């Protein structure tokens, strides 16, 4: 597939996806959502990729939201389809085998915040802004915002953001646990790459199963989550990586994990 709205670059075992619509502040139209979906599907099937970084192009925006110009004239049926298209992408990112790091380099509003929340880790630049402005447009968050935001920051804070349409800065997002770390804008991507490299150096099967346990566990009761954890914990003992990793630890040496 030829991409017109995104870029995919590779650094060793890391893939960097850049949403490339800077004139539109990287707004998510249907074409961009479809390209992202296709790109993430390709990465999911690529065993050489151990971590993914998602960011936006330009100086101002990660993703400023869904494309209002495209949405404004939709019928209810078309709006449902558009919401489902967004959900498909967000769920794909959330369940991607590889961890996904959002490098939020500016506005993450509406669909942009929903996109970042689907990622496993969120790093923000000091100029980043976050918000869910949908009710101010007569609609509501339709790409998972009403579901993921309460799970991340609690229902009270989520309700405040979703109902007031307030936009918060990176410091406030960090205080409420919406982002993991904040960096100067010029350092953000480098820091994201460093974190991705650190993750990539670990046993890839164990990393993937850890992500799976986290994501599944958020929607299970504690006992069910523990049962799933025990199953994937057991799976790691069938891998060469587990044997080599434990031997290296006991011998006080290191090992290069092969994903086997």
């Amino acid at each position: 597939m030829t991409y017109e709205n995104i870029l995919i670059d590779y650094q060793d075992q890391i893939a960097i996806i850049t949403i490339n619509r800077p004139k539109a502040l990287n707004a998510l139209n249907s074409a961009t959502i479809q390209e992202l979906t296709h790109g993430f599907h390709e990465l999911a099937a690529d065993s050489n990729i151990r971590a993914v970084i998602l960011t936006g192009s330009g100086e101002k925006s990660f993703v400023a939201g869904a494309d209002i110009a495209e949405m404004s004239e939709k019928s209810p049926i078309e709006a449902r389809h558009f919401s489902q298209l967004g959900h498909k992408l967000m769920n794909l990112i959330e369940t991607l085998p590889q961890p996904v790091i959002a490098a939020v380099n500016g506005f993450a509003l509406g669909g942009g915040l929903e996109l970042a929340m689907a990622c496993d880790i969120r790093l923000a630049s000091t100029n980043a802004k976050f918000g869910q402005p949908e009710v101010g447009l007569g609609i509501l968050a339709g790409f998972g915002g009403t579901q993921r935001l309460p799970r991340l920051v609690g229902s009270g804070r989520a309700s405040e953001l979703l109902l007031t349409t307030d936009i918060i800065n990176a410091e406030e997002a960090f205080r409420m646990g919406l982002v993991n770390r904040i960096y100067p804008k010029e350092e953000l991507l480098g820091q994201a790459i460093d974190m991705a490299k650190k993750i990539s150096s670990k046993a890839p099967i164990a990393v993937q199963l850890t992500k799976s346990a986290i994501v599944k566990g958020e929607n299970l009761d504690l006992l069910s989550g523990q049962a799933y954890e025990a199953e994937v914990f057991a799976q790691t003992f069938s891998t060469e990586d587990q044997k080599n990793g434990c031997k290296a630890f006991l011998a006080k040496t290191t090992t290069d994990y092969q994903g086997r």
Side-chain angles (χ1 to χ4, degrees):
M1 181 177 182
T2 301
Y3 298 121
E4 296 182 359
N5 299 295
I6 68 172
L7 305 170
I8 304 181
D9 299 307
Y10 300 91
Q11 289 196 19
D12 297 322
Q13 296 170 310
I14 300 166
I16 302 171
I17 299 183
T18 304
I19 301 166
N20 190 35
R21 300 186 70 213
K23 292 183 180 179
L25 297 179
N26 301 321
L28 296 176
N29 59 7
S30 295
T32 303
I33 294 171
Q34 289 167 345
E35 287 186 19
L36 285 167
T37 301
H38 187 275
F40 274 107
H41 270 302
E42 286 194 330
L43 294 177
D46 189 343
S47 61
N48 292 318
I49 298 301
R50 296 190 180 184
V52 180
I53 296 169
L54 179 62
T55 193
S57 65
E59 297 298 316
K60 295 181 179 180
S61 184
F62 172 69
V63 171
D67 194 316
I68 305 302
E70 179 184 338
M71 283 198 303
S72 61
E73 299 299 325
K74 288 187 181 299
S75 69
I77 292 174
E78 291 169 336
R80 181 186 295 115
H81 176 73
F82 188 59
S83 176
Q84 291 169 340
L85 191 68
H87 287 154
K88 180 181 177 181
L89 170 61
M90 308 307 167
N91 294 340
L92 172 61
I93 294 170
E94 188 172 66
T95 58
L96 201 77
Q98 303 94 334
V100 183
I101 300 169
V104 181
N105 56 309
F107 291 115
L109 306 178
L113 178 50
E114 290 166 309
L115 186 62
M117 289 191 293
C119 299
D120 301 286
I121 297 168
R122 285 160 293 283
L123 308 180
S125 59
T126 50
N127 67 314
K129 304 287 185 183
F130 302 84
Q132 298 280 178
E134 286 88 351
V135 297
L137 300 172
I139 59 175
L140 57 85
F143 290 170
T146 64
Q147 304 306 304
R148 286 192 177 90
L149 190 56
R151 286 169 167 80
L152 283 170
V153 304
S155 60
R157 285 174 170 170
S159 295
E160 182 179 349
L161 286 175
L162 287 160
L163 299 175
T164 65
T165 74
D166 286 348
I167 295 174
I168 61 173
N169 61 24
E171 290 288 347
E172 181 62 22
F174 175 76
R175 282 194 292 270
M176 67 172 58
L178 189 54
V179 301
N180 297 71
R181 298 177 186 273
I182 304 171
Y183 298 104
K185 182 174 173 56
E186 63 274 13
E187 297 179 14
L188 177 66
L189 185 58
Q191 292 287 350
I193 290 171
D194 285 347
M195 182 177 286
K197 286 180 177 178
K198 180 181 285 189
I199 292 170
S200 298
S201 71
K202 312 306 179 187
I205 296 172
V207 167
Q208 292 177 12
L209 291 175
T210 297
K211 170 173 175 170
S212 177
I214 293 168
V215 172
K216 287 183 181 295
E218 287 180 332
N219 297 305
L220 296 173
D221 62 81
L222 180 60
L223 291 179
S224 298
Q226 288 174 327
Y228 182 77
E229 179 185 79
E231 289 303 312
V232 293
F233 176 72
Q235 286 179 34
T236 62
F237 283 76
S238 67
T239 67
E240 292 180 19
D241 284 348
Q242 178 268 332
K243 295 174 177 59
N244 293 334
C246 289
K247 287 178 182 176
F249 176 82
L250 294 172
K252 295 182 171 57
T253 60
T254 60
T255 186
D256 291 326
Y257 293 107
Q258 302 300 311
R260 295 194 296 265

